[in-house]
């Protein structure tokens, strides 16, 4: 698989990365053995960037990755870890903590769960409104200086916050939602990243499955599936959004690929400084996604995609209303 470099002086990684969140119950139950096999298949296919969060499954995801990565050479993969989200015992979101002492504590537990001596990219999942962001990223800088972390990354912050963090320590990438349905980064955030020499790891490239080509209007999120609370999947919105997917399917059919492959390739086509994260939790979905790394989109293809899914036409917010205020950009 071809590679891309995240930011100036950042890690060189494969064109596609693997997002592991869905392997820990975010979209309902998952099969542990299949999750481990999917990580193995991704590494064997040349995927090198694996993204997780210490709060995914309240530690479950890091322990799962430790199992999946056991026996693999450490230089074979790049670990991206988010921190700072607090969870209650019942799995509910309980706020954020960006205090420097908390950052150090989070990393200590992460290193133990993952069974490694360093994290390649360490990033606050959100900016804690009660802690100056410079203090949070300053703590990561100290961990970099101590050798426990290789690079500073960010997640879901606006352009001004990117600048503030970058002034404390060079940022290699911003992880943020970017897809045909979510393009709010384009006016200000993406130009700022390019001005500063910062890459992007794009998550939600398939809109949490909405533009995968496998979701239907009659489908409902099962128990424990967070999509049951996402406005874009709500009745009245999902039908509109799936009509966009059907228009995209016509373009994909003409191109000789699947809807998912086209949607992933579109994100990858937005620049060599962008690495799409594929949130596969099964080898079947991973196998479908991987060819997107080699799919070249012509100007005519891009025009057809834009016509099928014009910017800003998705209906419904990308997160429940309670979470939208904490995001750096909107939809």
């Amino acid at each position: 698989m071809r590679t891309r470099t995240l930011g100036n002086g950042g890690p060189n990684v494969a064109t596609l990365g693997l997002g592991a969140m869905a392997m820990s119950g975010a979209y309902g139950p998952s099969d542990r053995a299949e999750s481990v096999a999917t990580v193995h298949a991704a590494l064997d296919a040349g995927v090198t960037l694996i993204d997780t969060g210490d709060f995914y499954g309240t530690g479950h995801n890091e322990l799962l990755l430790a199992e999946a990565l056991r026996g693999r050479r450490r230089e074979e993969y790049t670990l991206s870890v988010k921190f700072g989200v607090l969870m209650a015992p019942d799995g509910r979101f309980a706020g954020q903590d960006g205090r420097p002492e908390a950052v150090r504590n989070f990393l200590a537990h992460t290193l133990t769960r993952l069974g490694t001596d360093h994290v390649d990219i360490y990033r606050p999942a959100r900016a804690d409104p009660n802690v100056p962001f410079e203090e949070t990223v300053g703590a990561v800088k100290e961990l970099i200086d101590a050798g426990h972390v290789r690079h500073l990354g960010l997640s879901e912050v606006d352009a001004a916050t990117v600048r503030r963090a970058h002034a404390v320590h060079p940022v290699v990438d911003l992880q943020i939602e970017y897809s045909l349905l979510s393009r709010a980064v384009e006016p200000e955030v993406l130009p700022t990243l390019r001005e500063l020499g910062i890459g992007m790891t794009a998550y939600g490239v398939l809109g949490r499955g909405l533009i995968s080509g496998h979701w239907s209007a009659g489908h409902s999120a099962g128990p424990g599936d967070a999509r049951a609370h996402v406005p874009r999947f709500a009745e009245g919105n999902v039908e509109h959004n799936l009509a966009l997917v059907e228009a995209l399917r016509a373009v994909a059919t003409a191109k000789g690929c699947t809807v998912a492959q086209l949607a992933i390739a579109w994100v990858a086509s937005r620049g060599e400084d962008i690495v799409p994260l594929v949130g596969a939790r099964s080898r079947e979905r991973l196998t479908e996604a991987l060819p997107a790394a080699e799919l070249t989109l012509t100007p005519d293809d891009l025009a057809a995609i834009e016509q099928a899914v014009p910017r800003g036409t998705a209906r419904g917010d990308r997160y429940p209303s309670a979470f939208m205020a904490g995001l750096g950009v909107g939809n």
Side-chain angles (χ1 to χ4, degrees):
M1 190 179 293
R2 290 176 290 185
T3 62
R4 296 180 171 190
T5 300
L6 290 175
N8 293 333
N12 187 256
V13 299
T15 300
L16 299 183
L18 178 66
M21 182 182 73
M23 297 178 182
S24 294
Y27 301 144
S30 57
D31 182 271
R32 189 179 188 90
E34 181 60 26
S35 295
V36 169
T38 300
V39 175
H40 291 167
L43 292 171
D44 292 342
V47 173
T48 55
L49 178 64
I50 301 176
D51 180 75
T52 183
D54 63 11
F55 51 94
Y56 289 172
T58 55
H60 174 278
N61 203 244
E62 291 181 324
L63 292 170
L64 176 116
L65 288 178
E67 178 183 342
L69 297 171
R70 193 170 296 125
R72 297 279 181 163
R73 293 178 296 109
R74 184 60 180 84
E75 60 271 22
E76 187 179 349
Y77 54 88
T78 299
L79 281 174
S80 161
V81 180
K82 292 181 287 297
F83 68 85
V85 172
L86 302 177
M87 305 295 294
D90 62 0
R92 294 178 184 271
F93 174 74
Q96 295 153 173
D97 194 344
R99 296 172 301 141
E101 57 268 36
V103 176
R104 293 187 286 270
N105 180 71
F106 290 139
L107 182 65
H109 288 279
T110 280
L111 295 177
T112 299
R113 283 191 292 258
L114 286 171
T116 185
D117 64 353
H118 72 278
V119 165
D120 298 290
I121 309 174
Y122 204 45
R123 65 181 85 244
R126 300 288 187 272
D128 183 344
N130 300 312
V131 177
F133 202 55
E134 289 81 358
E135 293 185 11
T136 302
V137 298
V140 178
K141 178 185 184 300
E142 291 176 0
L143 294 169
I144 292 172
D145 293 341
H148 304 304
V149 172
R150 297 290 185 264
H151 303 285
L152 169 65
L154 302 177
S155 175
E156 281 290 354
V157 294
D158 61 17
T161 306
V162 170
R163 292 185 185 278
R164 289 170 57 195
H166 196 64
V168 175
H169 186 84
V171 176
V172 296
D173 76 317
L174 169 67
Q175 187 174 122
I176 199 162
E177 188 166 352
Y178 190 32
S179 73
L180 281 164
L181 300 184
S182 298
R183 298 175 61 176
V185 300
E186 292 179 345
E188 186 176 5
V189 173
L190 191 50
T192 298
L193 297 181
R194 287 174 172 161
E195 174 193 337
L196 299 176
I198 300 171
M200 176 193 291
T201 43
Y203 77 89
V205 294
L206 295 180
R208 298 171 180 79
L210 185 56
I211 52 174
S212 66
H214 301 294
W215 195 274
S216 61
H219 185 83
S220 60
D225 191 331
R227 290 173 291 194
H229 308 288
V230 175
R232 284 184 179 166
F233 289 85
E235 185 177 357
N237 291 339
V238 70
E239 294 84 0
H240 168 86
N241 295 330
L242 287 174
L244 300 175
V245 176
E246 289 310 305
L248 190 64
R249 193 186 303 276
V251 182
T253 299
K255 185 68 176 175
C257 64
T258 70
V259 176
Q261 290 164 356
L262 190 67
I264 296 167
W266 180 87
V267 175
S269 77
R270 309 314 286 171
E272 290 290 322
D273 51 355
I274 299 174
V275 174
L277 296 174
V278 176
R281 54 175 165 168
S282 71
R283 285 169 288 180
E284 179 183 7
R285 290 289 180 258
L286 176 71
T287 299
E288 179 185 8
L290 289 174
E294 307 300 326
L295 188 61
T296 300
L297 301 181
T298 67
D300 287 345
D301 294 331
L302 293 171
I305 293 169
E306 190 72 31
Q307 184 174 3
V309 188
R311 178 181 164 187
T313 51
R315 185 172 294 172
D317 287 337
R318 59 190 179 99
Y319 277 100
S321 57
F323 291 91
M324 288 299 293
L327 301 178
V329 297
N331 291 315

